[in-house]
Amino acid sequence: MSKNARDGLWSVICLALSLWIYYYSDTFRSSARVPLLADATLYTRLWAVVLFLLSLGLLIRSIRAQTKGTGPALCTLGTFCTIVLLLMYVLLLKSVGFFLCTLVFLTVLVTYYHYLSLDSGTSPRPKLAALTARYFVLALVVTFVLDFAFSKLLSVYLPTFSLFG
């Protein structure tokens, strides 16, 4: 697939996503009267418009560009694994809880990408268990910080683990 075709495909996907986000943002209007800058809809729509404009620019550039050659693959194994992990995170977040879900998600993702980034020819690969343990500690610290920041400082409800739904 050529670089222009790949960019055009991604831009159409992002255009559709931005329109969906813009439309969906209307569903979380609050019943209380809040100032305009405190309305959750405003910021979601702002980011949807930014994504729409950037995607439109990418689409125009991919149509007008006359570059030859192929670019990187549209969906690599890393991209596929990231999307699958992200979907699992979103689907399991409500039942498994923020803390456990985030801890597993970060550990697996960071370990996977670090393992991919290692040059297999020049340096020996570290043991997977040691690498995972190191990134588990890092993910634990990040998860504690995020949990404290959102639940304690900002008073945002985060899903917790529930065994029976």
Side-chain angles (χ1 to χ4, degrees):
M1 175 179 281
S2 74
K3 183 179 181 314
N4 294 335
R6 186 202 65 213
D7 287 350
L9 182 60
W10 275 118
S11 66
V12 169
I13 290 170
C14 289
L15 280 169
L17 181 65
S18 68
L19 292 173
W20 180 78
I21 291 170
Y22 190 87
Y23 172 75
Y24 182 73
S25 69
D26 198 36
T27 62
F28 42 85
R29 286 200 181 272
S30 133
S31 59
R33 289 191 41 87
V34 293
L36 177 65
L37 293 178
D39 190 17
T41 306
L42 174 74
Y43 296 105
T44 308
R45 286 190 169 177
L46 176 70
W47 285 112
V49 168
V50 168
L51 179 62
F52 182 83
L53 293 174
L54 290 172
S55 302
L56 193 60
L58 181 62
L59 181 62
I60 292 169
R61 189 187 79 177
S62 67
I63 291 171
R64 293 179 65 189
Q66 299 298 322
T67 57
K68 302 291 184 210
T70 60
L74 181 63
C75 187
T76 62
L77 180 62
T79 307
F80 180 74
C81 289
T82 303
I83 291 170
V84 167
L85 275 172
L86 190 58
L87 288 174
M88 287 175 47
Y89 179 80
V90 169
L91 292 174
L92 295 174
L93 187 62
K94 200 174 224 178
S95 61
V96 176
F98 171 79
F99 193 84
L100 188 59
C101 236
T102 304
L103 183 64
V104 171
F105 176 74
L106 287 177
T107 303
V108 171
L109 202 62
V110 173
T111 303
Y112 176 73
Y113 273 108
H114 183 235
Y115 212 70
L116 274 183
S117 71
L118 295 174
D119 186 16
S120 60
T122 58
S123 61
R125 288 185 179 240
K127 299 261 188 242
L128 186 59
L131 194 63
T132 304
R134 185 168 76 185
Y135 286 125
F136 177 79
V137 172
L138 175 70
L140 192 63
V141 170
V142 169
T143 305
F144 268 121
V145 168
L146 288 173
D147 186 53
F148 177 76
F150 283 99
S151 64
K152 304 295 187 269
L153 295 178
L154 299 173
S155 300
V156 173
Y157 167 76
L158 296 174
T160 56
F161 177 73
S162 62
L163 189 58
F164 300 108

